[in-house]
């Protein structure tokens, strides 16, 4: 895994041009709820001139239900099976940026598929920032079952061994998302 180290001396435009030229695989964003995968992904895709797709949105479209409704009506296992199918399809159809739900990369099959066919970028973030960010919306079924800080801390401990298998790791600090976008561009460029 490549850790991000800033390359201030280099023009970010050069890095963008290099990525645009040589990265053919989709860039798949993974990481816990609240790290900013969708916002960062949309901006990253815009900068790279690629398409953007959010896996949770695609699942909702396929199921004609909200993620929270799928969890309530059918349970998490059913959601994971749908998530696996949808991400496999998105990887086939899209060569741009794909934001995945926080649990997707924990699934062995989904993770293997992403690692083989894409550049996986783990957006890492400290728990307090995640608690603050996720408190703004009550749409996440896994955070409704108890204290969000405890749940996020537990999920972090459980999932870190999987997230750390991503080819690239960047840290999302408590600040504007465009900082994270720049870090991703620099980190991917360093992998080329
Ligand atoms: C989940 C994260 C959510 C969504 C579902 C389950 C998880 O996506 O897929 O609620 O297991 O961490 P976000 O990470 O986009 O919030």
């Amino acid at each position: 895994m490549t850790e991000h180290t800033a390359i201030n001396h280099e023009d970010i435009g050069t890095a963008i041009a290099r990525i645009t030229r040589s990265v053919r695989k989709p860039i798949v964003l993974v990481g816990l709820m609240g790290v900013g995968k969708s916002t960062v992904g949309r901006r990253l895709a815009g900068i790279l001139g690629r398409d953007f797709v959010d896996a949770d949105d695609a699942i909702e479209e396929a199921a004609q239900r909200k993620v929270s409704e799928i969890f309530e009506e059918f349970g998490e296992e059913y959601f994971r099976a749908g998530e696996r199918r949808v991400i496999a399809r998105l990887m086939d159809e899209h060569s741009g940026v794909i934001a995945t739900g926080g649990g997707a990369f924990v699934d062995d099959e989904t993770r293997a598929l992403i690692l083989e066919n894409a550049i996986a970028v783990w957006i890492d973030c400290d728990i307090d920032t995640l608690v603050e960010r996720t408190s703004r919306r009550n749409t996440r079924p896994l955070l409704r079952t108890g204290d969000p800080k405890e749940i996020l801390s537990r999920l972090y401990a459980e999932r870190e061994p999987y997230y750390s298998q991503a080819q690239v790791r960047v840290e999302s600090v408590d600040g504007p998302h465009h900082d994270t976008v720049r870090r991703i561009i620099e980190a991917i460029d360093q992998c080329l």
Side-chain angles (χ1 to χ4, degrees), residues 33 37 56 67 71 79-80 83 101-103 140-142 159:
M33 296 172 262
K37 294 168 300 237
D56 279 347
V67 167
F71 267 76
F79 171 79
R80 296 296 171 206
E83 180 176 54
R140 294 177 167 103
L142 291 180
R159 293 176 176 182

Side-chain angles (χ1 to χ4, degrees), residues 14-170:
T14 315
I16 293 169
R18 247 194 313 261
I19 293 171
T20 309
R21 233 185 4 254
S22 46
V23 174
R24 294 276 160 267
K25 295 174 169 185
I27 296 168
V28 176
L29 305 183
V30 307
L32 275 185
M33 296 172 262
V35 296
K37 294 168 300 237
S38 304
T39 310
V40 166
R42 197 167 283 112
R43 290 193 192 169
L44 177 66
I47 288 173
L48 297 177
R50 304 260 169 105
D51 61 1
F52 170 76
V53 61
D54 183 287
D56 279 347
D57 288 350
I59 293 165
E60 291 187 344
E61 202 184 311
Q64 288 296 299
R65 280 179 171 80
K66 294 276 169 214
V67 167
S68 56
E69 291 168 352
I70 304 173
F71 267 76
E72 270 164 35
E73 285 178 44
F74 304 106
E76 180 168 353
E77 213 173 300
Y78 180 91
F79 171 79
R80 296 296 171 206
E83 180 176 54
R84 199 179 301 129
R85 280 194 304 275
V86 166
I87 291 178
R89 172 169 61 77
L90 296 179
M91 302 262 303
D92 244 13
E93 294 173 353
H94 295 271
S95 55
V97 179
I98 302 172
T100 61
F105 203 62
V106 175
D107 181 88
D108 290 339
E109 223 177 283
T110 306
R111 188 174 63 258
L113 191 77
I114 295 172
L115 287 174
E116 196 178 325
N117 299 292
I119 298 177
V121 177
W122 171 27
I123 306 179
D124 194 7
C125 189
D126 70 89
I127 300 294
D128 286 336
T129 304
L130 293 182
V131 172
E132 202 278 309
R133 287 190 191 151
T134 52
S135 69
R136 294 175 204 159
R137 278 190 301 139
N138 181 26
T139 54
R140 294 177 167 103
L142 291 180
L143 296 183
R144 290 176 181 169
T145 56
D147 174 51
K149 185 165 182 171
E150 266 172 38
I151 295 169
L152 284 164
S153 303
R154 177 178 50 77
L155 288 176
Y156 190 97
E158 283 171 12
R159 293 176 176 182
E160 193 268 346
Y162 303 104
Y163 292 150
S164 61
Q165 293 176 40
Q167 290 97 332
V168 173
R169 172 184 173 273
V170 295

